Amino acid sequence: MTGNLVGADETLFRIVEAMAGAGSMGVTEVATRLDLTKSTAHRHLQTLAAHGYAVNDGGTYRLSHQWFHLGTAVKSSDPFYLASRRELVVLADRTGKTVWGAVEEMGELMFVNGAGARPTHNPDLLIGNWSSITETAAGKAILAALSEERTAEIVENAGGEKSIEDIRTELEYVRTRGYATNLGERISGIYAMGMAVVVDDSVFGAISLSSSSDDLITTDREASVAALSEAVERVEENVSEHT
């Protein structure tokens, strides 16, 4: 597959990713950081600006909100996002916990929405960011619901501190009890519980509850499982109506 990639496109995406991480960048900085000639860097930056994907502030370039527009369009066409956005708010109000909606793509997890009057951490810091699929409750719930072949493929390439055998053992436990947990694995001091959203054997995403208190998975466990399960059922019904 690598041999079929277009070099100019590869360079353009490298520039975009560098700008996303650094903010504003000049031609010289882009060229130096990515080991490009100044003329090559300049042409790519001008192309981005000409198509509205970068803003040229006197020779310094930054990504434009056109990327935000594209991301919003992608999110708003996702059946899971559309079916779950109201239910996340309802679940957060009912439990007093932070609630997340997440999807899997290319073996990674992305939180696409969040709700909660008392968030354990700022939702904006997670929404739109890739996260570990083997160290989050939502990710483990999705992995446990995928086909054996797909799960094996993701787990073998997941990396991280957990062994493949440990991950497989944990996923079997998730399948048995019907939900996954996160005991501060991804963010220290944060506990979470997640369930997958599955319609007609297709995994659309997962919903998770999170809290800075372990009450979520100890004294409040039964109530949390019941509330999360009901929310997932409603989302699955919503997905069925719109797909």
Side-chain angles (χ1 to χ4, degrees):
M1 179 179 292
T2 303
N4 295 326
L5 299 180
V6 179
D9 292 347
E10 287 277 281
T11 300
L12 185 63
F13 282 122
R14 287 175 61 210
I15 291 173
V16 169
E17 290 172 354
M19 293 172 71
S24 297
M25 300 178 73
V27 173
T28 300
E29 183 178 0
V30 170
T32 301
R33 179 174 296 195
L34 301 181
D35 194 23
L36 304 171
T37 64
K38 288 186 179 180
S39 61
T40 297
H42 190 230
R43 286 198 304 272
H44 282 295
L45 290 169
Q46 282 189 317
T47 299
L48 287 169
H51 289 275
Y53 288 96
V55 176
N56 182 354
D57 292 324
T60 300
Y61 295 80
R62 59 178 172 81
L63 297 181
S64 76
H65 281 77
Q66 179 68 2
W67 298 97
F68 182 81
H69 168 72
L70 289 180
T72 300
V74 171
K75 182 174 66 174
S76 298
S77 64
D78 177 18
F80 171 76
Y81 173 79
L82 296 175
S84 64
R85 53 185 176 178
R86 179 180 179 278
E87 298 305 332
L88 297 187
V89 176
V90 172
L91 181 58
D93 289 343
R94 176 179 175 182
T95 62
K97 303 292 192 298
T98 305
V99 182
W100 301 101
V103 298
E104 176 269 326
E105 277 189 346
M106 298 175 289
E108 295 189 79
L109 189 79
M110 178 175 285
F111 292 97
V112 296
N113 206 356
R118 295 182 296 165
T120 52
H121 37 323
N122 188 343
D124 292 336
L125 298 180
L126 285 180
I127 292 176
N129 290 338
W130 294 110
S131 189
S132 170
I133 197 166
T134 60
E135 298 176 331
T136 54
K140 286 183 265 188
I142 289 175
L143 280 176
L146 291 172
S147 67
E148 291 185 10
E149 294 78 12
R150 179 65 177 144
T151 299
E153 178 185 359
I154 294 174
V155 169
E156 288 173 5
N157 294 285
E161 298 181 0
K162 294 182 179 180
S163 69
I164 293 177
E165 190 58 38
D166 285 343
I167 295 172
R168 288 173 175 166
T169 299
E170 186 172 11
L171 293 181
E172 282 301 319
Y173 192 32
V174 172
R175 295 183 185 103
T176 299
R177 66 185 178 185
Y179 63 91
T181 57
N182 173 5
L183 310 180
E185 299 160 53
R186 188 60 179 172
I187 302 177
S188 179
I190 299 300
Y191 303 85
M193 173 184 296
M195 290 185 185
V197 172
V198 184
V199 177
D200 295 332
D201 296 326
S202 295
V203 182
F204 284 82
I207 297 175
S208 65
L209 285 170
S210 66
S211 173
S212 57
S213 170
D214 65 358
D215 288 350
L216 174 69
I217 56 174
T218 55
T219 57
D220 295 340
R221 179 188 294 263
E222 290 187 10
S224 297
V225 170
L228 183 57
S229 179
E230 290 176 16
V232 167
E233 288 180 7
R234 289 194 296 270
V235 172
E236 290 175 341
E237 291 174 0
N238 293 341
V239 169
S240 296
E241 292 176 359
H242 295 93
T243 55

